[in-house]
Structures are given as C-alpha cells and as structure tokens.
Amino acid sequence: MELPGGQAPFDIVEVRFKNSRKEFFKNVNNLPLVAGEAVAVEASPGHDMGTVSLTGELVRLQMKKKSMDPAAADIRKLYRKARQNDIDKWKEAQQLENNTMYKARTIAVRLGLNMKISDVEYQGDKTKAIFYYTAEERVDFRELIKILAEEFRVRIEMRQIGARQEASRLGGIGSCGRELCCSTWLTDFRSVTIGAARYQQLSLNPLKLAGQCGKLKCCLNYELDSYLDALKDFPETDTKLETEKGIPFHQKTDIFRRIIFYSFRDEPDVFIPVPVQRVKEIIAMNKEGKKPATLLIHKDPVFEKKEPDFENVVGQDSLTRFDKKKGPRNNNKKRRKPQGPRPEGENKPAGAGNQQGRRQEARPQNPDNKNKAPDNRPPNNRPQNNRQPGKPNNNPRNNRNRPPRGTLRGGGAGDKKE
C-alpha cells in the first residue's frame, strides 16, 4: 500500500518472538525493513533477537485495535538489522532451551511445586531466560527462582499462561481433523461459556465440547451470532400454551427449520412439531381467553418421509454396515462321517463307509443263502482292475501282491525267511 506523496512512513514495526509473542518497537534509525527480516531490538536488560512481522500502516491499525498509543514513552527501540554474530549467538541460545526446561521440571518436582513448566525462551544475548508455566492455583516459586539462577547463571523471569495459550504453542489436531485454530490463525482468545452450546442446541457433554486444552472449544463462538439472530423471532420456551386437550410442555427447538416440538403429559414420547407462527397464534389466543382444540390445524407436511432420489445398491448410507457379523465359511469339501454299525436289512447309501465295510456287507448273512434280502444298492462305479497278464499290479490295496507274512520286503535272490 503506497502512501501519498510527502507523508512519512509509520515509524513503528511489529516484531515476533518465540511462542507467538509479539511486541511493538520504534524504528528510530528509519531502516528499510520488510516482513521476515531478523532484527536486534532493545530488551531489559541487554538486547533481544526477533523477526519483523508487520510494517507500515498495518502496524498503526494493530496498535489501534489493542488500544496502544504510538506516542507512548515506554515503546522500546529497534537497534539494527541482525548481523551474523548476532544470529550465531541467537542459535546457541535456542539450543539450550530444551535441556533447561527438563532440568527446571526436575527441580520443580523436587521442591513439590504444583506447576508445569511448559517451555523456556532464552533472550538473544543469553543473559535472560523466560520460563512459561501453567498452574491451577497460586504457586510460591521464590525458592525455585534462586535455584534456577544458580544453576543456569542467567536472569530468571516466570510467566504464567493459560491452557489455551499452552495448546497454541504446542499445536495439535482437533476433533474436526484439522490443525488447531489457536496455533494457526487465532490471535486472541475470546471467553467461551456453556451458554453458547445451549443456544446452538448442542448436547452438554464435556467430553465433546472440550478441546485439546481441556477448555470449551473456541469454535463454539463461530456460529453463535447466527443462532442468536435466528432466535430473536422465537417465543420464550417457558411460555405455557393452553389447549382443550391440556397444557403441552416444550421438548426441543429446531432453529433453522423454525419448528418447536411439544408433547403432552399423558403422551410424553409423542413429539408434536409446531411452527413458530402457530405458536404465536396460540399465545395470542390464550391472552384473549381462548383455547384452541389442538396444537396443529392440519398435518404438517414438513415431516413427511421423503424417498431418496437414488438407489442404495451397496448400502453405502448405512451407519451399521461394518457391524454385520460374518457367517461361517461355506466349505464345499464333503467330509466323510464315520460309519457305525447299521441295523440288519437296511440299505447302505452309495459311497458311504470304507472298502472293508463294503466287503463285509457283500458277504451273505447265512451260508445257505436262504431268505436273502434283495440287494437294492446302486452299482459300484469304481474302476475295475484291468491288469493285463504278465504285468505287475501296482495297486497297494490289492492283497494278492502283498508278500507272504514273515518275508522281508524289497525282493531279490538273497531274501530269506525269518
């Protein structure tokens, strides 16, 4: 944004430090600065290193938003652009921060302090360290400061931050699947109350309403104004409606469909959807001393079931499609059941039992073959032994090829009986 001719640029710049800490500094030397440059600024004591985040007229708007006076005497100075030795010393100080934080946590636990040291920020010249901590109650850390000053040989400053600021510095993924708003684009934290959830008809479940920081989610305030504007035209929910059937009581409200649900005492599970305009008519009739026969004049067409305009072929809109239990696998392999003793005269099914059982059944029941029952079994379709004479039979099931008992197997001229 170019300035009109003859107007001097705004001489204050905004500098960002670690943990999204931002401060305003006066550019006393009128250095040409752009966003992203490393600069050396005044600190107490010594000097600090930071990065330019805003310049020009945008800084004036930011100071006006935060109610700061550009002519105030307490605004510190910006010395110069960072030199190479300044940057090297700054990097050395940053490398000390993690070890310092872990040692400080150990000392705080040893002293029995109910506090959590979440981060440490060294000043650019390594003469001062800022310890950020969270605590639910007041903490007396005077002894802790003495031990830390002797341990690290720097000036100690303790700063208490809230749970939202801690989540902003640590970052994370919210329940919506996106990166936390406080760590990406939010610059200030507005107070969030449980009333924001009540106005939006949300379930008052602390587990669902709380964010990563354990406090109410900041996004509860995003659409609150739209709900409040829509509720201006709604009657109060505690207003009693009198009908000839009785006095219904309020169940819930659908704000954007402009419908209020009522039910009677004798039928508490039957929700009657009543449009807002009809509720106002009933209230006006009650003021005149009249009682309508029913809440609704005619059937409300809003709640008629609407058939989907697509065909659900694979059940993709079913919420329980992954909860279906799988049945047992269908094994196509036929398992042979053990053949037990069968009653006399019962026909045996084809293919049942083993070969030995079939041989026993094929034998006559009496030696004289008298009163023999007719054989109704299906013919045996097993392949017959078509061995030609002169060729050995390789069928191991044929008992004729088995060597006589007590003879060594393997054959040969040297085989002898035992």
Side-chain angles (χ1 to χ4, degrees), residues 11-181:
D11 60 345
I12 297 179
V13 296
E14 185 186 63
V15 180
R16 178 174 56 85
F17 302 94
K18 187 183 177 182
N19 301 328
S20 301
R21 179 172 61 92
K22 297 179 181 179
E23 294 182 10
F24 299 101
F25 295 90
K26 184 168 292 188
N27 187 6
V28 292
N29 299 322
N30 296 325
L31 301 173
L33 301 173
V34 295
E37 284 187 319
V39 291
V41 297
E42 182 183 2
S44 176
H47 70 276
D48 200 356
M49 299 292 298
T51 306
V52 178
S53 57
L54 278 182
T55 59
E57 295 299 318
L58 294 177
V59 183
R60 190 193 301 272
L61 297 177
Q62 283 292 98
M63 297 185 71
K64 183 178 180 181
K65 180 181 177 181
K66 297 182 178 181
S67 302
M68 295 184 64
D69 185 13
D74 57 347
I75 298 180
R76 297 174 182 173
K77 301 177 182 180
L78 188 148
Y79 290 144
R80 62 183 182 273
K81 292 183 180 181
R83 302 168 184 168
Q84 187 59 41
N85 57 346
D86 297 332
I87 296 177
D88 294 340
K89 198 171 185 179
W90 187 23
K91 289 182 179 180
E92 292 176 2
Q94 290 176 346
Q95 293 175 358
L96 300 174
E97 292 174 351
N98 285 337
N99 293 333
T100 303
M101 180 183 65
Y102 295 143
K103 290 181 181 179
R105 286 180 178 179
T106 306
I107 296 172
V109 171
R110 188 172 69 243
L111 295 177
L113 300 178
N114 189 15
M115 59 185 297
K116 177 186 175 182
I117 300 177
S118 56
D119 201 4
V120 176
E121 179 185 358
Y122 266 89
Q123 197 168 276
D125 55 358
K126 295 196 300 184
T127 59
K128 180 180 176 183
I130 304 175
F131 290 79
Y132 296 91
Y133 72 95
T134 56
E136 297 181 357
E137 54 188 14
R138 188 178 180 86
V139 181
D140 185 8
F141 45 77
R142 289 176 293 183
E143 184 68 23
L144 176 64
I145 292 178
K146 294 179 182 178
I147 298 176
L148 293 179
E150 294 176 359
E151 178 73 21
F152 304 113
R153 302 293 180 180
V154 292
R155 184 174 180 179
I156 306 298
E157 180 180 348
M158 305 294 294
R159 287 191 185 181
Q160 185 175 3
I161 58 176
R164 298 182 189 274
Q165 286 80 4
E166 184 181 11
S168 172
R169 292 184 301 97
L170 298 179
I173 304 298
S175 58
C176 58
R178 303 182 64 180
E179 196 173 353
L180 297 181
C181 299

Side-chain angles (χ1 to χ4, degrees), residues 229-266:
D229 292 340
L231 284 172
K232 288 180 180 178
D233 196 30
F234 278 61
E236 297 293 335
T237 56
D238 55 352
T239 304
K240 294 183 178 181
L241 306 181
E242 297 181 2
T243 62
E244 295 180 0
K245 187 177 180 180
I247 299 178
F249 61 94
H250 174 264
Q251 287 281 11
K252 64 177 183 177
T253 304
D254 194 335
I255 299 176
F256 292 104
R257 296 172 72 179
R258 299 183 60 80
I259 293 172
I260 304 177
F261 292 83
Y262 290 93
S263 60
F264 290 94
R265 298 290 179 183
D266 52 349

Side-chain angles (χ1 to χ4, degrees), residues 105-356:
R105 286 180 178 179
T106 306
I107 296 172
V109 171
R110 188 172 69 243
L111 295 177
L113 300 178
N114 189 15
M115 59 185 297
K116 177 186 175 182
I117 300 177
S118 56
D119 201 4
V120 176
E121 179 185 358
Y122 266 89
Q123 197 168 276
D125 55 358
K126 295 196 300 184
T127 59
K128 180 180 176 183
I130 304 175
F131 290 79
Y132 296 91
Y133 72 95
T134 56
E136 297 181 357
E137 54 188 14
R138 188 178 180 86
V139 181
D140 185 8
F141 45 77
R142 289 176 293 183
E143 184 68 23
L144 176 64
I145 292 178
K146 294 179 182 178
I147 298 176
L148 293 179
E150 294 176 359
E151 178 73 21
F152 304 113
R153 302 293 180 180
V154 292
R155 184 174 180 179
I156 306 298
E157 180 180 348
M158 305 294 294
R159 287 191 185 181
Q160 185 175 3
I161 58 176
R164 298 182 189 274
Q165 286 80 4
E166 184 181 11
S168 172
R169 292 184 301 97
L170 298 179
I173 304 298
S175 58
C176 58
R178 303 182 64 180
E179 196 173 353
L180 297 181
C181 299
C182 55
S183 62
T184 51
W185 60 274
L186 276 182
T187 57
D188 56 344
F189 299 98
R190 295 172 54 188
S191 60
V192 186
T193 60
I194 198 66
R198 290 196 179 97
Y199 283 125
Q200 300 177 56
Q201 309 292 324
L202 298 177
S203 174
L204 302 181
N205 188 351
L207 297 178
K208 294 183 178 181
L209 298 180
Q212 299 288 88
C213 57
K215 306 294 182 180
L216 292 175
K217 295 180 180 178
C218 298
C219 56
L220 293 177
N221 283 339
Y222 295 169
E223 299 179 356
L224 180 60
D225 295 337
S226 301
Y227 280 87
L228 292 177
D229 292 340
L231 284 172
K232 288 180 180 178
D233 196 30
F234 278 61
E236 297 293 335
T237 56
D238 55 352
T239 304
K240 294 183 178 181
L241 306 181
E242 297 181 2
T243 62
E244 295 180 0
K245 187 177 180 180
I247 299 178
F249 61 94
H250 174 264
Q251 287 281 11
K252 64 177 183 177
T253 304
D254 194 335
I255 299 176
F256 292 104
R257 296 172 72 179
R258 299 183 60 80
I259 293 172
I260 304 177
F261 292 83
Y262 290 93
S263 60
F264 290 94
R265 298 290 179 183
D266 52 349
E267 297 176 345
D269 55 341
V270 179
F271 287 16
I272 303 175
V274 185
V276 175
Q277 188 63 29
R278 176 61 178 169
V279 176
K280 292 182 178 180
E281 293 177 2
I282 297 176
I283 294 175
M285 294 173 64
N286 293 155
K287 289 181 178 179
E288 296 176 0
K290 301 178 183 180
K291 295 182 180 180
T294 58
L295 287 174
L296 294 175
I297 302 177
H298 54 81
K299 185 179 180 182
D300 190 6
V302 177
F303 289 89
E304 292 182 356
K305 185 177 180 182
K306 181 181 178 182
E307 296 295 334
D309 53 353
F310 64 93
E311 186 177 358
N312 182 18
V313 214
V314 294
Q316 66 270 19
D317 59 344
S318 175
L319 296 177
T320 59
R321 61 185 183 273
F322 297 115
D323 299 338
K324 296 178 181 178
K325 296 182 179 179
K326 296 182 179 180
R329 293 183 178 179
N330 186 12
N331 250 344
N332 295 328
K333 297 181 180 179
K334 296 182 180 179
R335 299 180 180 177
R336 290 186 177 182
K337 297 182 179 179
Q339 185 69 23
R342 305 180 65 83
E344 185 179 353
E346 183 179 348
N347 295 334
K348 186 177 180 182
N354 51 16
Q355 187 177 4
Q356 185 177 0

